[in-house]
Short mmCIF file of all heavy atoms in Angstrom, two decimals:
data_model
loop_
_atom_site.label_atom_id
_atom_site.label_comp_id
_atom_site.label_asym_id
_atom_site.label_seq_id
_atom_site.Cartn_x
_atom_site.Cartn_y
_atom_site.Cartn_z
N GLN A 1 110.50 72.33 98.41
CA GLN A 1 110.17 72.69 97.05
C GLN A 1 109.35 73.96 96.90
O GLN A 1 109.22 74.52 95.77
CB GLN A 1 109.51 71.62 96.21
CG GLN A 1 110.48 70.37 96.09
CD GLN A 1 111.66 70.53 95.35
OE1 GLN A 1 111.62 71.46 94.26
NE2 GLN A 1 112.82 70.11 95.68
N GLU A 2 108.63 74.25 97.89
CA GLU A 2 107.66 75.36 97.79
C GLU A 2 108.21 76.55 98.42
O GLU A 2 108.78 76.52 99.51
CB GLU A 2 106.41 74.95 98.50
CG GLU A 2 105.21 75.89 98.59
CD GLU A 2 104.08 75.36 99.23
OE1 GLU A 2 103.81 74.19 99.09
OE2 GLU A 2 103.49 76.16 99.95
N ARG A 3 108.15 77.73 97.79
CA ARG A 3 108.63 79.02 98.40
C ARG A 3 107.60 79.57 99.35
O ARG A 3 106.47 79.47 99.19
CB ARG A 3 108.85 80.01 97.25
CG ARG A 3 110.04 79.57 96.41
CD ARG A 3 110.41 80.78 95.51
NE ARG A 3 111.29 80.40 94.43
CZ ARG A 3 112.57 80.23 94.51
NH1 ARG A 3 113.21 80.36 95.50
NH2 ARG A 3 113.26 79.86 93.35
N GLY A 4 108.15 80.14 100.36
CA GLY A 4 107.09 80.90 101.38
C GLY A 4 106.68 82.17 100.63
O GLY A 4 107.13 82.64 99.74
N GLU A 5 105.59 82.56 101.10
CA GLU A 5 104.78 83.64 100.63
C GLU A 5 105.66 84.92 100.54
O GLU A 5 105.71 85.63 99.58
CB GLU A 5 103.41 83.87 101.35
CG GLU A 5 102.58 84.92 100.69
CD GLU A 5 101.25 85.02 101.50
OE1 GLU A 5 101.02 84.15 102.42
OE2 GLU A 5 100.64 85.94 101.24
N ALA A 6 106.41 85.21 101.64
CA ALA A 6 107.17 86.39 101.77
C ALA A 6 108.39 86.32 100.80
O ALA A 6 108.78 87.35 100.02
CB ALA A 6 107.59 86.62 103.08
N VAL A 7 109.03 85.14 100.59
CA VAL A 7 110.08 84.99 99.85
C VAL A 7 109.61 85.10 98.33
O VAL A 7 110.34 85.71 97.57
CB VAL A 7 110.72 83.49 99.96
CG1 VAL A 7 111.83 83.28 98.95
CG2 VAL A 7 111.30 83.40 101.40
N ALA A 8 108.53 84.55 98.06
CA ALA A 8 107.96 84.62 96.57
C ALA A 8 107.73 86.08 96.24
O ALA A 8 108.06 86.55 95.22
CB ALA A 8 106.64 83.92 96.53
N MET A 9 107.31 86.87 97.31
CA MET A 9 107.07 88.36 96.95
C MET A 9 108.35 89.10 96.76
O MET A 9 108.52 90.00 95.97
CB MET A 9 106.21 88.89 98.02
CG MET A 9 104.72 88.59 97.94
SD MET A 9 103.64 89.59 98.95
CE MET A 9 103.69 91.14 98.23
N LEU A 10 109.35 88.59 97.65
CA LEU A 10 110.65 89.33 97.45
C LEU A 10 111.19 89.08 96.02
O LEU A 10 111.78 90.04 95.35
CB LEU A 10 111.73 88.81 98.48
CG LEU A 10 111.65 89.42 99.90
CD1 LEU A 10 112.62 88.71 100.73
CD2 LEU A 10 112.05 90.77 99.81
N LEU A 11 111.18 87.93 95.61
CA LEU A 11 111.76 87.48 94.20
C LEU A 11 110.92 88.31 93.09
O LEU A 11 111.42 88.63 92.27
CB LEU A 11 111.68 86.06 94.08
CG LEU A 11 112.48 85.14 95.12
CD1 LEU A 11 112.42 83.73 94.76
CD2 LEU A 11 113.77 85.72 95.30
N ARG A 12 109.61 88.29 93.34
CA ARG A 12 108.70 89.11 92.35
C ARG A 12 109.13 90.60 92.34
O ARG A 12 109.06 91.09 91.31
CB ARG A 12 107.22 88.90 92.74
CG ARG A 12 106.35 89.30 91.72
CD ARG A 12 104.91 89.03 91.95
NE ARG A 12 104.65 87.84 92.61
CZ ARG A 12 103.87 87.54 93.83
NH1 ARG A 12 103.38 88.74 94.28
NH2 ARG A 12 103.84 86.56 94.39
N GLN A 13 109.46 91.11 93.47
CA GLN A 13 110.04 92.50 93.49
C GLN A 13 111.22 92.60 92.63
O GLN A 13 111.31 93.67 91.90
CB GLN A 13 110.30 93.00 94.92
CG GLN A 13 109.12 93.20 95.75
CD GLN A 13 108.50 94.61 95.61
OE1 GLN A 13 109.17 95.48 95.13
NE2 GLN A 13 107.25 94.46 95.70
N CYS A 14 112.12 91.72 92.68
CA CYS A 14 113.21 91.69 91.68
C CYS A 14 112.83 91.63 90.24
O CYS A 14 113.36 92.43 89.46
CB CYS A 14 114.26 90.54 92.10
SG CYS A 14 115.11 90.66 93.53
N ASP A 15 111.95 90.70 90.01
CA ASP A 15 111.50 90.57 88.61
C ASP A 15 110.76 91.75 88.04
O ASP A 15 111.02 92.30 86.87
CB ASP A 15 110.71 89.16 88.50
CG ASP A 15 111.47 88.01 88.82
OD1 ASP A 15 112.76 88.07 88.61
OD2 ASP A 15 110.80 87.04 89.11
N ASP A 16 109.91 92.28 88.83
CA ASP A 16 109.05 93.35 88.47
C ASP A 16 109.80 94.73 88.35
O ASP A 16 109.35 95.42 87.55
CB ASP A 16 107.83 93.52 89.27
CG ASP A 16 106.86 92.29 89.30
OD1 ASP A 16 107.04 91.59 88.35
OD2 ASP A 16 106.03 92.22 90.18
N ASN A 17 110.79 94.84 89.01
CA ASN A 17 111.52 96.12 89.18
C ASN A 17 112.93 96.10 88.50
O ASN A 17 113.77 96.92 88.87
CB ASN A 17 111.65 96.66 90.59
CG ASN A 17 110.28 96.97 91.05
OD1 ASN A 17 109.54 97.70 90.66
ND2 ASN A 17 110.01 96.23 92.25
N ALA A 18 113.17 95.10 87.53
CA ALA A 18 114.43 94.95 86.92
C ALA A 18 114.65 96.12 86.01
O ALA A 18 113.83 96.48 85.28
CB ALA A 18 114.52 93.70 86.18
N LEU A 19 115.91 96.71 85.96
CA LEU A 19 116.24 97.76 85.10
C LEU A 19 117.41 97.17 84.15
O LEU A 19 118.33 96.74 84.53
CB LEU A 19 116.81 99.04 85.86
CG LEU A 19 115.78 99.76 86.69
CD1 LEU A 19 116.52 100.83 87.45
CD2 LEU A 19 114.76 100.32 85.71
N ILE A 20 117.22 97.37 82.83
CA ILE A 20 118.15 97.05 81.89
C ILE A 20 119.06 98.23 81.69
O ILE A 20 118.62 99.19 81.24
CB ILE A 20 117.64 96.58 80.48
CG1 ILE A 20 116.65 95.39 80.71
CG2 ILE A 20 118.68 96.30 79.43
CD1 ILE A 20 115.87 95.05 79.48
N VAL A 21 120.31 98.10 82.13
CA VAL A 21 121.24 99.24 82.04
C VAL A 21 122.29 99.09 81.03
O VAL A 21 123.10 99.98 80.76
CB VAL A 21 121.96 99.62 83.47
CG1 VAL A 21 120.79 100.06 84.43
CG2 VAL A 21 122.63 98.46 83.90
N GLY A 22 122.37 98.09 80.30
CA GLY A 22 123.33 97.78 79.28
C GLY A 22 123.28 96.35 78.72
O GLY A 22 122.34 95.53 79.22
N ARG A 23 123.96 95.99 77.78
CA ARG A 23 124.01 94.72 77.16
C ARG A 23 124.38 93.75 78.18
O ARG A 23 125.35 93.81 78.86
CB ARG A 23 125.00 94.75 76.01
CG ARG A 23 125.10 93.32 75.42
CD ARG A 23 125.84 93.43 74.08
NE ARG A 23 124.91 93.39 73.07
CZ ARG A 23 125.16 93.55 71.79
NH1 ARG A 23 126.28 93.81 71.44
NH2 ARG A 23 124.25 93.38 70.88
N GLN A 24 123.45 92.71 78.45
CA GLN A 24 123.64 91.69 79.35
C GLN A 24 123.88 92.13 80.78
O GLN A 24 124.46 91.47 81.55
CB GLN A 24 124.63 90.74 78.95
CG GLN A 24 124.37 90.16 77.66
CD GLN A 24 125.55 89.09 77.24
OE1 GLN A 24 126.44 89.01 78.03
NE2 GLN A 24 125.22 88.25 76.20
N ARG A 25 123.23 93.39 81.09
CA ARG A 25 123.51 93.73 82.45
C ARG A 25 122.05 94.32 82.94
O ARG A 25 121.49 95.33 82.48
CB ARG A 25 124.38 94.91 82.74
CG ARG A 25 124.49 95.41 84.15
CD ARG A 25 125.88 96.03 84.40
NE ARG A 25 125.91 96.28 85.96
CZ ARG A 25 126.18 97.43 86.48
NH1 ARG A 25 126.44 98.43 85.69
NH2 ARG A 25 126.10 97.46 87.65
N VAL A 26 121.47 93.57 83.95
CA VAL A 26 119.95 93.94 84.41
C VAL A 26 120.29 94.09 86.00
O VAL A 26 120.71 93.15 86.67
CB VAL A 26 119.11 92.88 84.23
CG1 VAL A 26 117.66 93.15 84.83
CG2 VAL A 26 118.97 92.46 82.74
N VAL A 27 119.99 95.35 86.38
CA VAL A 27 120.14 95.73 87.83
C VAL A 27 118.69 95.42 88.41
O VAL A 27 117.70 95.97 87.85
CB VAL A 27 120.68 97.03 87.99
CG1 VAL A 27 120.66 97.35 89.45
CG2 VAL A 27 122.01 97.19 87.34
N VAL A 28 118.69 94.86 89.58
CA VAL A 28 117.53 94.70 90.39
C VAL A 28 117.63 95.32 91.85
O VAL A 28 118.72 95.75 92.15
CB VAL A 28 117.09 93.26 90.53
CG1 VAL A 28 116.79 92.60 89.17
CG2 VAL A 28 118.10 92.38 91.23
N PRO A 29 116.51 95.57 92.44
CA PRO A 29 116.56 96.21 93.78
C PRO A 29 117.45 95.30 94.73
O PRO A 29 117.53 94.05 94.67
CB PRO A 29 115.12 96.12 94.29
CG PRO A 29 114.20 96.08 93.03
CD PRO A 29 115.06 95.30 92.08
N ASN A 30 118.05 95.97 95.63
CA ASN A 30 118.93 95.33 96.61
C ASN A 30 118.62 95.77 98.05
O ASN A 30 119.17 95.14 98.91
CB ASN A 30 120.45 95.61 96.23
CG ASN A 30 120.78 97.00 96.53
OD1 ASN A 30 119.88 97.93 96.01
ND2 ASN A 30 121.91 97.41 96.96
N ALA A 31 117.75 96.64 98.24
CA ALA A 31 117.29 97.11 99.58
C ALA A 31 115.75 96.75 99.70
O ALA A 31 114.98 97.34 98.94
CB ALA A 31 117.59 98.51 99.76
N PHE A 32 115.50 96.02 100.63
CA PHE A 32 114.10 95.60 100.85
C PHE A 32 113.75 95.88 102.25
O PHE A 32 114.39 95.59 103.18
CB PHE A 32 113.88 94.06 100.64
CG PHE A 32 114.24 93.58 99.27
CD1 PHE A 32 115.61 93.29 98.98
CD2 PHE A 32 113.37 93.62 98.24
CE1 PHE A 32 116.03 92.72 97.70
CE2 PHE A 32 113.73 93.22 96.94
CZ PHE A 32 115.08 92.79 96.79
N VAL A 33 112.38 96.38 102.41
CA VAL A 33 111.90 96.61 103.71
C VAL A 33 110.58 95.74 103.82
O VAL A 33 109.81 95.87 102.86
CB VAL A 33 111.49 98.03 104.07
CG1 VAL A 33 110.92 98.10 105.30
CG2 VAL A 33 112.79 98.79 103.95
N ILE A 34 110.50 94.85 104.72
CA ILE A 34 109.29 94.06 104.95
C ILE A 34 108.52 94.61 106.16
O ILE A 34 109.11 94.51 107.26
CB ILE A 34 109.56 92.58 105.01
CG1 ILE A 34 110.31 92.03 103.88
CG2 ILE A 34 108.23 91.84 105.32
CD1 ILE A 34 110.70 90.68 103.86
N GLU A 35 107.46 95.16 106.05
CA GLU A 35 106.63 95.67 107.05
C GLU A 35 105.70 94.51 107.46
O GLU A 35 104.81 93.98 106.71
CB GLU A 35 105.86 96.81 106.61
CG GLU A 35 106.61 98.10 106.40
CD GLU A 35 105.71 99.35 106.07
OE1 GLU A 35 104.51 99.14 105.79
OE2 GLU A 35 106.38 100.40 105.92
N LEU A 36 105.77 94.15 108.74
CA LEU A 36 105.01 93.04 109.30
C LEU A 36 104.01 93.66 110.36
O LEU A 36 104.31 94.65 110.91
CB LEU A 36 105.93 92.00 110.04
CG LEU A 36 106.98 91.35 109.19
CD1 LEU A 36 108.04 90.73 110.08
CD2 LEU A 36 106.32 90.31 108.23
N LEU A 37 103.02 92.92 110.56
CA LEU A 37 102.13 93.30 111.69
C LEU A 37 102.88 93.30 112.96
O LEU A 37 103.77 92.51 113.05
CB LEU A 37 100.86 92.25 111.80
CG LEU A 37 99.83 92.30 110.66
CD1 LEU A 37 98.85 91.10 110.92
CD2 LEU A 37 99.13 93.66 110.66
N PRO A 38 102.68 94.29 113.82
CA PRO A 38 103.35 94.33 115.01
C PRO A 38 103.48 93.05 115.82
O PRO A 38 104.68 92.73 116.28
CB PRO A 38 102.71 95.45 115.84
CG PRO A 38 102.09 96.27 114.87
CD PRO A 38 101.64 95.31 113.64
N GLU A 39 102.55 92.24 115.85
CA GLU A 39 102.59 91.10 116.71
C GLU A 39 103.59 90.12 116.03
O GLU A 39 104.43 89.51 116.68
CB GLU A 39 101.19 90.33 116.85
CG GLU A 39 100.14 91.14 117.21
CD GLU A 39 99.45 92.03 116.12
OE1 GLU A 39 99.12 91.46 115.00
OE2 GLU A 39 99.25 93.23 116.34
N ILE A 40 103.62 89.96 114.69
CA ILE A 40 104.50 89.10 114.00
C ILE A 40 105.86 89.59 114.12
O ILE A 40 106.86 88.72 114.30
CB ILE A 40 104.06 88.96 112.51
CG1 ILE A 40 102.70 88.23 112.42
CG2 ILE A 40 105.05 88.10 111.71
CD1 ILE A 40 102.04 88.14 111.08
N HIS A 41 106.09 90.87 114.05
CA HIS A 41 107.42 91.44 114.01
C HIS A 41 107.98 91.12 115.56
O HIS A 41 109.18 90.80 115.66
CB HIS A 41 107.43 92.88 113.84
CG HIS A 41 108.65 93.53 113.90
ND1 HIS A 41 109.21 94.14 115.10
CD2 HIS A 41 109.66 93.74 113.02
CE1 HIS A 41 110.45 94.57 114.90
NE2 HIS A 41 110.71 94.34 113.56
#
């Protein structure tokens, strides 16, 4: 039931960067880069 921290931030990126381009059409980011600490990567 609980979202992971990285997933929650990805979804927040969609919500925060949504662009309204027309009636009932909202475009959100579709290209994401997650920079991880080298050890985790």
Side-chain angles (χ1 to χ4, degrees):
Q1 292 297 323
E2 181 182 319
R3 296 192 193 276
E5 189 177 346
V7 172
M9 286 189 70
L10 277 173
L11 305 184
R12 195 172 323 124
Q13 286 282 326
C14 287
D15 296 335
D16 292 347
N17 297 305
L19 293 173
I20 300 171
V21 294
R23 178 171 254 172
Q24 297 183 352
R25 182 154 186 234
V26 179
V27 178
V28 294
N30 61 320
F32 301 90
V33 174
I34 302 177
E35 293 181 347
L36 300 164
L37 288 175
E39 307 86 49
I40 295 174
H41 181 266

